[in-house]
Amino acid sequence: MDILSGMLNGFQVALTAQNLMMCVVGVVLGTVIGVLPGLGPPATIAMLLPLTMKLDPTGAMIMLAGIYYGAKYGGSTTSILLNVPGESSSVVTCIDGYQMARKGRAGAALGMAAISSFIAGTFGVVALMLVAPPLAKMSLAFSAPEYFALMVLGLAMVVLLSGESLVKALLAMLVGLWIASMGTDLFSATSRFTFDRVELLGGIDFIIVAIGVFAVGEVLGSLEPSKPADMLPVPKGFRNLLPTWEDMKKCRFAFVNGSLVGFLIGILPGAGSTIASFMSYGIEKAVSKHPEEFGHGAIEGVAAPEGANNAETGGALVPLLTLGIPGSGTTAILLAALVLWGFKPGPLFIQDSPQLFWGLVASMYIGNVLLLILNLPLVAVFAQLLKLPAYMMYPLILGVSIVGVYTSSNSMFQLGLLCGFGLLGYLMRKLDYPTAPLVLGLVLGDSMERALRQSLMMSAGDISILFRPIPSVLLGIAALLLAVPLFKRFNSVRVQVVDREA
Amino acid sequence: MGPRSRSGDLWSGLALAGLGAYILFAARRWDYMTEEGPGAGFFPMWYGGVMLVLSLVLVAGAVVKPGRHAQVAWKDVSRALVAWVAFVACIALMPVFGFVISFALLAAFIVKVMCAEKLRTAILVAVIGSAGFYALFEWALDLSLPKGMLF
């Protein structure tokens, strides 16, 4: 199936009444959680995933993806009006967005954030559509050693960029690998780390860990005392939300910059939308004729990062769908969702599940248009959500977490595990252990062990199979990445990037 | 309490070293290598060993330079721990009271005690929240909520 016929097929799938409704629900939910500080896409997707098990997988995936990219649109609203980012990817928007709002240009900042998000988000989807099929074909040549090396590289990048302490990030990943190896070993039927509990023979469901670490852990952390911020008003009237023609001309390069940087950074595992937005902001400032305006309300300082964090979505879906390698906590949950529905993300995914792949891509075009419509005239309505008292949110999140885990397993034992992982998630945040490596270790652990053991079976235990050209290059890069902290100069750059993310 | 005993890195490092040692100990009981290739103990043996080494590095760092590492503000933690205990209690009560009543109790506790709102607000959130969950999941989505002996 070529790209054109794939897209036609995709629009037929995405434009059915049911899938269109799922797309609307996803992007609205995404915008809502993007606006609400504290509740992020990983927690929301993890909580809702068990509830989507009865739905058609294509529709459910369209909705979950809508939450993922919709949150990035919504995240800018709080950055501009409150100086508090709704999502970590909108941190950099605070710098110039809030200054614009203080100068009475909140409308132009909100409007530019939505327009730039739309342009770059659409670019990201176009690039995903063009890059994913050839990459999938290329990766058909991969076998177990190449996959093992690719997963090691993916984990190394996530570990490198996940926390200030590389040791803690590695330890978090190793705990993820440990949880992944609980249950019955598929090669030898040996029970591992089951503590004589029948419930653990099948391993620990990824959903329980994700909901515990992200949702319950997040609520526990939010219950610590914090000072509420003052919100600037949203300008009334649609016209006041539109940037001027002069603003649009000023942001021409920012649109291109945000789109390209966002997509390219998105493809790299671990880098993520926060780093993409900071990089595009840095580039924009560096090439600007008026760099002194940055930090004081430069509209390009809103357009570039907002564009980058939306283009990143398309990039992040490339390795997820074509190689089965997620690059962040959220894409790891999306991978788990695909696997739970019986799909196999990887080189054959587009070929085996064209309805889902092209339907998802087409829905992202539609979703971006919907988000532009939602975020321009309705931004004042979404801003009202910030007045929602926190005491209503906490029980709601905990309740959905309980129901999510229970409906996926009908077991009280699994709810007990949820308590444990909730505490683990909170303690990890408190003690500065990054959560993304744990989740990725858990998602990739099983496949990684399988690929390693298959490789060594192929070679009758000879480790030199991992030094074939492609695996040796990938493992070499992974080793270099993990050696970065040994070099002061490179490590200071890494720490700066991580600090910005934090 | 000295800085060393308050160090989060020290305690978490020790806990992870214990976990690494346990993984190594458990993996010893399984085949490391078989005629077909690596056995069930192969992968855990490696990551368990790496975990033990890295956690000891963390502990050593916390002991040598105690001030540089994460310190835990126990006052802040206690609030979160109280909420966690309430969450655990809610789940423990479910086999008896079911989801609807246990969740209502949890919601009321969070609103009244953790968020210091009025009792009337707490009751309102608890009742509307429980009824909302029941209506949405049991009726609209046809998904079963945890049932107890009483409800």
Side-chain angles (χ1 to χ4, degrees):
Chain A
M1 188 182 284
D2 62 17
I3 291 174
L4 193 67
S5 60
M7 273 320 294
L8 283 174
N9 182 26
F11 274 107
Q12 278 174 353
V13 173
L15 286 171
T16 59
Q18 191 195 340
N19 289 340
L20 205 55
M21 180 55 75
M22 297 307 276
C23 187
V24 174
V25 171
V27 296
V28 170
L29 260 177
T31 309
V32 169
I33 62 140
V35 168
L36 294 171
L39 186 60
T44 312
I45 295 174
M47 283 190 296
L48 292 179
L49 180 55
L51 309 179
T52 61
M53 286 299 134
K54 283 190 174 180
L55 301 175
D56 162 54
T58 307
M61 189 65 195
I62 286 173
M63 183 184 79
L64 297 183
I67 294 173
Y68 177 33
Y69 57 84
K72 294 178 179 178
Y73 273 77
S76 59
T77 307
T78 45
S79 296
I80 293 165
L81 298 177
L82 272 174
N83 203 20
V84 174
E87 294 307 318
S88 61
S89 57
S90 300
V91 172
V92 74
T93 310
C94 292
I95 303 171
D96 283 286
Y98 187 67
Q99 289 303 323
M100 281 181 74
R102 285 185 63 189
K103 289 175 180 169
R105 298 205 68 211
L110 290 165
M112 182 53 78
I115 291 168
S116 179
S117 297
F118 170 74
I119 294 172
T122 307
F123 173 85
V125 184
V126 174
L128 163 69
M129 181 182 82
L130 297 175
V131 172
L135 185 68
K137 270 187 193 158
M138 240 173 69
S139 58
L140 276 173
F142 284 17
S143 64
E146 284 78 18
Y147 267 107
F148 171 72
L150 199 61
M151 284 185 264
V152 171
L153 176 62
L155 282 174
M157 286 204 71
V158 172
V159 161
L160 183 76
L161 295 171
S162 280
E164 208 175 309
S165 162
L166 195 74
V167 173
K168 285 183 174 180
L170 279 166
L171 283 166
M173 183 203 74
L174 292 168
V175 172
L177 293 181
W178 174 58
I179 299 169
S181 56
M182 286 180 177
T184 309
D185 172 39
L186 289 178
F187 286 79
S188 61
T190 309
S191 301
R192 298 188 298 187
F193 308 113
T194 53
F195 307 99
D196 296 326
R197 297 289 309 213
V198 182
E199 297 93 333
L200 288 177
L201 283 175
I204 290 186
D205 197 344
F206 169 79
I207 289 298
I208 301 167
V209 183
I211 295 180
V213 169
F214 288 118
V216 179
E218 192 92 50
V219 170
L220 295 177
S222 304
L223 281 165
E224 287 185 4
S226 63
K227 190 176 161 281
D230 294 325
M231 186 171 81
L232 296 171
V234 180
K236 284 185 182 152
F238 178 61
R239 274 173 174 270
N240 291 321
L241 288 167
L242 291 177
T244 61
W245 182 242
E246 192 58 33
D247 289 335
M248 294 296 283
K249 265 170 62 181
K250 261 186 176 176
C251 293
R252 277 175 307 183
F253 179 74
F255 296 143
V256 179
N257 164 21
S259 301
L260 285 173
V261 171
F263 183 77
L264 293 174
I265 295 286
I267 293 178
L268 301 175
S273 50
T274 311
I275 289 167
S277 59
F278 268 100
M279 272 191 75
S280 65
Y281 184 84
I283 293 171
E284 198 60 36
K285 190 175 172 182
V287 300
S288 172
K289 286 176 188 163
H290 309 285
E292 72 283 355
E293 287 177 10
F294 280 72
H296 302 284
I299 196 158
E300 305 97 299
V302 173
E306 277 305 309
N309 76 37
N310 282 277
E312 187 265 351
T313 309
L317 290 179
V318 173
L320 173 73
L321 299 177
T322 59
L323 301 170
I325 311 271
S328 65
T330 314
T331 46
I333 298 170
L334 290 176
L335 175 70
L338 288 167
V339 173
L340 281 173
W341 291 320
F343 295 100
K344 267 190 84 180
L348 293 173
F349 178 71
I350 301 175
Q351 196 180 310
D352 291 347
S353 318
Q355 298 279 94
L356 179 56
F357 176 79
W358 293 108
L360 177 66
V361 172
S363 80
M364 288 173 74
Y365 282 107
I366 299 165
N368 272 294
V369 176
L370 287 171
L371 281 163
L372 184 68
I373 297 168
L374 281 173
N375 278 271
L376 274 177
L378 296 181
V379 68
V381 178
F382 285 116
Q384 292 304 312
L385 287 170
L386 293 167
K387 292 178 182 166
L388 198 72
Y391 63 75
M392 285 173 72
M393 292 301 299
Y394 301 143
L396 184 74
I397 296 170
L398 294 177
V400 176
S401 300
I402 294 171
V403 176
V405 168
Y406 188 76
T407 50
S408 68
S409 60
N410 275 329
S411 150
M412 290 305 290
F413 178 78
Q414 312 288 8
L415 286 179
L417 287 178
L418 175 71
C419 295
F421 286 114
L423 185 64
L424 176 71
Y426 169 72
L427 290 176
M428 284 181 77
R429 280 179 185 79
K430 201 71 204 159
L431 298 170
D432 295 331
Y433 283 84
T435 49
L438 177 128
V439 173
L440 254 79
L442 173 58
V443 168
L444 293 181
D446 204 28
S447 320
M448 201 167 146
E449 181 180 6
R450 199 181 316 130
L452 177 62
R453 286 169 73 177
Q454 278 172 349
S455 304
L456 293 174
M457 279 176 179
M458 282 160 64
S459 66
D462 183 2
I463 202 156
S464 66
I465 195 165
L466 297 175
F467 299 107
R468 297 197 309 203
I470 296 176
S472 57
V473 169
L474 297 174
L475 290 173
I477 297 171
L480 276 177
L481 289 174
L482 293 178
V484 160
L486 301 176
F487 303 98
K488 262 190 177 174
R489 202 168 178 187
F490 291 120
N491 195 43
S492 63
V493 175
R494 182 189 78 87
V495 171
Q496 269 181 23
V497 171
V498 171
D499 278 349
R500 284 171 175 180
E501 182 108 29
Chain B
M1 198 185 281
R4 194 168 294 174
S5 58
R6 274 189 280 117
S7 164
D9 285 8
L10 179 73
W11 291 111
S12 60
L14 285 172
L16 286 165
L19 177 62
Y22 162 72
I23 292 170
L24 282 177
F25 178 75
R28 277 183 54 217
R29 287 181 288 149
W30 307 317
D31 288 332
Y32 180 79
M33 200 55 93
T34 65
E35 279 179 14
E36 289 89 37
F42 179 81
F43 198 53
M45 190 69 91
W46 276 96
Y47 71 69
V50 177
M51 186 186 281
L52 183 62
V53 171
L54 287 175
S55 48
L56 290 177
V57 168
L58 193 68
V59 171
V63 171
V64 175
K65 292 173 182 169
R68 276 184 52 200
H69 300 270
Q71 303 291 315
V72 182
W74 291 109
K75 263 189 183 175
D76 294 346
V77 175
S78 62
R79 263 180 73 81
L81 287 183
V82 169
W84 181 73
V85 170
F87 183 64
V88 173
C90 163
I91 286 172
L93 287 175
M94 273 179 201
V96 181
F97 294 112
F99 174 84
V100 174
I101 295 174
S102 307
F103 174 74
L105 292 172
L106 174 69
F109 178 82
I110 288 177
V111 178
K112 178 73 188 104
V113 180
M114 304 304 301
C115 300
E117 292 294 324
K118 287 178 188 161
L119 183 63
R120 204 175 58 181
T121 313
I123 293 171
L124 212 64
V125 171
V127 172
I128 294 175
S130 276
F133 269 104
Y134 192 80
L136 179 66
F137 292 102
E138 288 277 352
W139 290 345
L141 296 175
D142 198 21
L143 291 168
S144 154
L145 294 174
K147 302 273 187 306
M149 286 188 289
L150 299 177
F151 192 80

